[in-house]
Amino acid sequence: MREGRSRPVTGLGMVVGALALSLAMSACSGAATGTGAAGGGDTGAAKQIQGDANTVNNGPVKSGGSLTYVLEANVDNWNPLTPIGSTVQSMEAVSGVMPSVFVPQPDMQTMKLNTDLMVSATQTSTSPQTIVYKINPKAVWSDNTPISADEFSYLWKTQNAKDCPKCEVAYNAGYDQIKSVTGSDGGKTVTVVFDKPFAAWQTLFSFLMPAHIAATYGDIKTAAGLAQSFNHGFADKPPTWSGGPYTVKQFQANQAVIEAKNTSWYGQGPNLDQVIFRIITDATQEVPALQNNEVQAINPAPQVDLLNQLKQLQGVNYQLDQSFFWEHFEFNLNNPFLGQSPAGDALRQALFTAVDTQGIIDRTVGQMDSSIKPLNSHFFMPQQQGYQDNVGALGFGKADVAKAKQILQSAGYTGVGTKLVAPDGKPVPALRFVYTAGNQLRQTEGTLFASYAKPLGITVNVEPTDNLGASQVHQDSHYDYDIIVFAWVGSSFPAAINAPIYLSCPKGVTYCGNNIANYGNADVDKWLKDSVTNLDPAAVTTDLNNADKQISEDAVSLPLYQRPALFAYSSKYGGIRSNANYIGPTYNMAEWGLLASGS
């Protein structure tokens, strides 16, 4: 999964009309939505909250009220399983609407069974691997249609790359290894049999969508109908249905998503009457909005100035934790000058050799946390077993301009240090570096990259994009960027989550995971395919490190650092906490509430 950011808004006063009415209603129901310091009568500076990641900020809460949470991007696509929709912001907006079988927990290790939706999910056999799911008999969609095996079958068929080759899927790892999905017990029992074993089976069947609604978008018994429903039916507009605690009541593009209680909800809670997702794409406006109680929770990309401002607020709690987010530079190999050829390989390697990763950290997140060091793996976080340096060992990120020039000269480049000319005699054109609009941290990273490239005779133009998701999947053009910076989101299941980023695209498949660079290597394919079928953890670690060494050597992507997670919220609320997984703090929206001890 990845982050995304969309069109910037011009100020904080743009949410008008029906949204203003909703804000007024939330004020009447107990949430702080007027002006003044967050937390009302609380005194003193913001409090840093620490403790057990999965239970911190627990407390008795009461029913009623509202909470406004900041999204840093517009929701441009409502299907979180598509490449454009698989941004953190889109997932946060739909996590209370589209239920998942298992939910990643804040401790960055645990996948917890969703006991509102499920009774159980049990592996009953290893040969063949078989998982039996028992769905809550009371679980229904908001139109009272039962949630059943049909939803499991729909997700499998749309994401296995066989039943629907033109389905635009972000990931198909695991789904392409399933042999059958069978319903019984009136559809409330689902038996999934794998053709090849999949160790990370708990990552499957996230963000369920109603099959009976899918059928209204096209004939889902056909590949064309599946593609129409998946790519457009569920993607182009907000859901008018829900299988979670909340339902989308209103969406105003670039302004807000308003969600209210699902009256057909079958689980525990929710406590809040409504949750408003306020879209603020200018990160500098988030702290003022929190201070003025225009919003009650923010989850911004961490910056030292922003953190210092937060620390001065009254009635605010904040968490600064480790996360699965990792910042990186990535090349677009569709550009012939950067493609997988001897000349392209040398150019990419030279650029990464000239980059100063520690210098980037020192100028950005290192000012907030001096312990942050370069991340030298594409698969593991430093805290995870299996992590090893497969990037720095190549000399990448070491600011070695002399070595970078030597790489180019040895490959037959001329004009090194002035105006670079490729071995075939063609001048290397200016490269377009793209970052998300409104993100000062990434603008700085792009500006630094350009400064590292200049001594090699390469011009890099640093430009913002107002739709990162569309840029990443080359929606408009294969050459809409040459270098891009954003954050991938890792997982406690690194093979399942990261393998699709680097697996070659099969012939005839329009989308194959998040391999946006169009990278391919036969050895990497072999290691990664084994990593998602092998049930031996030691063998999986070996596979991933073998693949990582080759990916690093091929210089398609340069990891920069593991990004800290910064989350802040009004101290009037309980049950809300940081969760630095792809689903974000919204993983437990039904538990959010105003503290019972509050006024």
Side-chain angles (χ1 to χ4, degrees):
M1 284 69 175
R2 62 182 183 274
E3 287 185 297
R5 182 187 295 273
S6 189
R7 304 171 184 84
V9 296
T10 57
L12 295 177
M14 295 185 66
V15 183
V16 294
L19 176 56
L21 175 61
S22 294
L23 289 171
M25 290 172 62
S26 66
C28 293
S29 60
T33 57
T35 59
D42 292 338
T43 60
K47 180 181 179 182
Q48 184 173 3
I49 302 298
Q50 296 176 316
D52 184 284
N54 294 340
T55 59
V56 68
N57 196 45
N58 265 354
V61 297
K62 56 189 176 183
S63 297
S66 175
L67 182 144
T68 301
Y69 179 102
V70 170
L71 296 182
E72 291 190 309
N74 188 53
V75 182
D76 292 304
N77 185 298
W78 293 90
N79 185 344
L81 304 178
T82 65
I84 297 178
S86 65
T87 63
V88 170
Q89 289 78 19
S90 294
M91 290 182 179
E92 288 180 333
V94 302
S95 62
V97 175
M98 301 180 183
S100 299
V101 173
F102 283 89
V103 180
Q105 300 298 294
D107 61 9
M108 297 175 63
Q109 299 179 37
T110 310
M111 292 288 287
K112 183 179 178 182
L113 183 69
N114 179 353
T115 53
D116 288 321
L117 175 69
M118 305 298 300
V119 174
S120 62
T122 308
Q123 180 171 282
T124 59
S125 172
T126 57
S127 183
Q129 185 182 24
T130 304
I131 313 297
V132 176
Y133 300 86
K134 298 283 188 178
I135 304 172
N136 180 354
K138 297 180 180 179
V140 295
W141 296 103
S142 50
D143 63 1
N144 290 314
T145 300
I147 297 176
S148 72
D150 292 343
E151 279 69 58
F152 287 69
S153 180
Y154 178 77
L155 253 60
W156 169 52
K157 289 181 179 179
T158 53
Q159 295 185 89
N160 64 23
K162 301 171 185 175
D163 289 287
C164 184
K166 293 186 177 181
C167 280
E168 299 170 1
V169 298
Y171 295 87
N172 64 7
Y175 291 104
D176 59 348
Q177 295 166 220
I178 293 175
K179 180 179 180 180
S180 64
V181 176
T182 306
S184 59
D185 188 26
K188 288 296 184 176
T189 296
V190 188
T191 301
V192 175
V193 179
F194 287 81
D195 184 45
K196 297 178 181 178
F198 185 60
W201 60 269
Q202 291 177 328
T203 63
L204 300 177
F205 304 110
S206 294
F207 300 107
L208 293 177
M209 291 170 274
H212 70 288
I213 299 295
T216 66
Y217 300 130
D219 183 359
I220 58 174
K221 295 180 181 179
T222 68
L226 287 169
Q228 176 63 27
S229 65
F230 190 83
N231 300 345
H232 299 288
F234 288 128
D236 294 346
K237 58 185 180 180
T240 57
W241 43 266
S242 175
Y246 288 95
T247 186
V248 176
K249 289 298 184 183
Q250 188 178 354
F251 170 58
Q252 293 173 283
N254 303 307
Q255 295 180 42
V257 182
I258 304 171
E259 299 185 6
K261 286 183 177 181
N262 173 11
T263 56
S264 297
W265 173 238
Y266 46 85
Q268 297 294 315
N271 301 304
L272 295 171
D273 292 327
Q274 67 175 7
V275 175
I276 300 168
F277 292 97
R278 178 82 169 271
I279 299 166
I280 301 177
T281 60
D282 182 353
T284 65
Q285 298 301 309
E286 294 186 48
V287 174
L290 181 62
Q291 182 178 24
N292 293 331
N293 271 330
E294 297 177 35
V295 303
Q296 286 79 53
I298 63 174
N299 191 28
Q303 301 179 46
V304 63
D305 291 343
L306 190 149
L307 176 59
N308 288 336
Q309 293 170 27
L310 266 177
K311 289 180 177 180
Q312 305 307 311
L313 300 189
Q314 296 180 356
V316 168
N317 296 335
Y318 73 92
Q319 294 177 244
L320 189 62
D321 304 307
Q322 294 173 344
S323 81
F324 274 125
F325 290 75
W326 55 284
E327 200 84 354
H328 75 294
F329 295 141
E330 187 159 325
F331 286 117
N332 180 359
L333 304 188
N334 291 305
N335 182 330
F337 286 91
L338 296 169
Q340 290 183 269
S341 66
D345 295 347
L347 180 56
R348 300 192 311 274
Q349 291 166 359
L351 283 165
F352 281 169
T353 300
V355 165
D356 182 359
T357 302
Q358 187 61 55
I360 290 172
I361 292 171
D362 292 342
R363 292 280 298 276
T364 55
V365 293
Q367 297 177 21
M368 186 171 59
D369 183 351
S370 60
S371 68
I372 297 175
K373 301 300 180 186
L375 177 66
N376 289 311
S377 172
H378 292 83
F379 293 96
F380 295 102
M381 295 294 103
Q383 300 80 20
Q384 291 180 291
Q385 187 174 0
Y387 176 85
Q388 66 184 44
D389 181 354
N390 294 317
V391 179
L394 297 168
F396 295 163
K398 302 293 188 181
D400 194 339
V401 175
K403 181 180 178 181
K405 289 182 176 180
Q406 185 180 31
I407 292 171
L408 293 171
Q409 290 165 347
S410 298
Y413 282 86
T414 58
V416 178
T418 53
K419 176 62 179 174
L420 195 64
V421 178
D424 63 2
K426 296 179 181 178
V428 175
L431 302 178
R432 185 182 181 214
F433 184 108
V434 166
Y435 70 95
T436 45
N439 191 314
Q440 182 61 51
L441 180 143
R442 288 179 180 155
Q443 183 179 5
T444 299
E445 291 169 349
T447 301
L448 289 171
F449 185 96
S451 72
Y452 302 142
K454 188 175 181 180
L456 305 182
I458 302 170
T459 298
V460 175
N461 296 322
V462 181
E463 304 175 16
T465 175
D466 63 1
N467 193 327
L468 185 68
S471 294
Q472 288 168 327
V473 299
H474 318 296
Q475 190 177 61
D476 301 318
S477 166
H478 284 300
Y479 307 107
D480 48 10
Y481 70 87
D482 299 305
I483 311 105
I484 196 167
V485 62
F486 62 97
W488 287 120
V489 186
S491 167
S492 54
F493 296 97
I497 295 298
N498 292 319
I501 299 172
Y502 308 105
L503 281 168
S504 303
C505 288
K507 291 182 179 180
V509 176
T510 305
Y511 290 87
C512 60
N514 274 318
N515 187 349
I516 66 172
N518 195 23
Y519 169 73
N521 181 287
D523 288 332
V524 170
D525 289 344
K526 178 185 67 176
W527 288 315
L528 293 183
K529 287 177 181 178
D530 185 69
S531 76
V532 296
T533 59
N534 202 316
L535 299 181
D536 178 2
V540 170
T541 296
T542 299
D543 282 335
L544 293 180
N545 276 312
N546 284 337
D548 189 34
K549 290 175 184 177
Q550 187 63 58
I551 293 164
S552 300
E553 183 177 334
D554 289 341
V556 62
S557 161
L558 179 64
L560 297 175
Y561 53 83
Q562 179 186 15
R563 204 183 76 183
L566 177 60
F567 184 51
Y569 47 91
S570 166
S571 58
K572 287 187 174 182
Y573 291 84
I576 186 169
R577 63 184 66 91
S578 178
N579 186 1
N581 286 283
Y582 59 84
I583 203 169
T586 58
Y587 82 104
N588 69 333
M589 283 175 62
E591 298 176 19
W592 295 0
L594 286 160
L595 290 170
S597 58
S599 55

